[in-house]
Amino acid sequence: MLGVLQLAVLAQENADGDIDLGSILLYILVGAIVGVLARFLVPGEDPLGLIGTIVLGIVGAVIGGWLAGAVFEDTEGVDWIASILVAVVLVLAVRMFRRTDTRTRTRT
């Protein structure tokens, strides 16, 4: 599915390589879906808001899609799974970073 969305984004690019508003909205939509799924899969309180979730999802989708394409020839369905797994790792990393940051502030 993500591969289909990536093809749609590539199809919307201009000849100059510029990305139009539809491409940006598509990236935001995919990022929101991947980010929300990742946050649902990791139980507990999250220090992220809506914008943080979308950004985390976009980063997870880009890295996961790239990794899936690097490992598998046919990425149909695999890219979504890889994107969500990378986003889950990012959620855990953000929590660990925030937890460490909060502990150091309260000790001083």
Side-chain angles (χ1 to χ4, degrees):
M1 178 76 175
L2 189 60
V4 172
L5 292 176
Q6 288 173 341
L7 288 176
V9 169
L10 291 174
Q12 290 179 357
E13 290 182 358
N14 295 336
D16 298 334
D18 295 334
I19 298 176
D20 62 356
L21 181 62
S23 300
I24 293 171
L25 293 175
L26 195 57
Y27 281 120
I28 292 171
L29 176 66
V30 170
I33 292 169
V34 169
V36 168
L37 286 174
R39 285 185 61 185
F40 278 139
L41 291 173
V42 180
E45 289 188 34
D46 288 316
L48 296 170
L50 179 63
I51 301 296
T53 300
I54 292 172
V55 169
L56 183 131
I58 291 170
V59 171
V62 168
I63 295 172
W66 176 79
L67 286 173
V71 174
F72 300 102
E73 284 185 33
D74 183 22
T75 62
E76 189 170 332
V78 176
D79 47 3
W80 272 103
I81 295 169
S83 297
I84 294 168
L85 289 176
V86 169
V88 165
V89 169
L90 290 174
V91 167
L92 293 172
V94 167
R95 282 187 186 177
M96 187 173 62
F97 176 72
R98 292 278 174 111
R99 211 173 281 149
T100 304
D101 188 36
T102 306
R103 286 182 193 158
T104 56
R105 278 193 224 160
T106 57
R107 288 183 184 171
T108 58

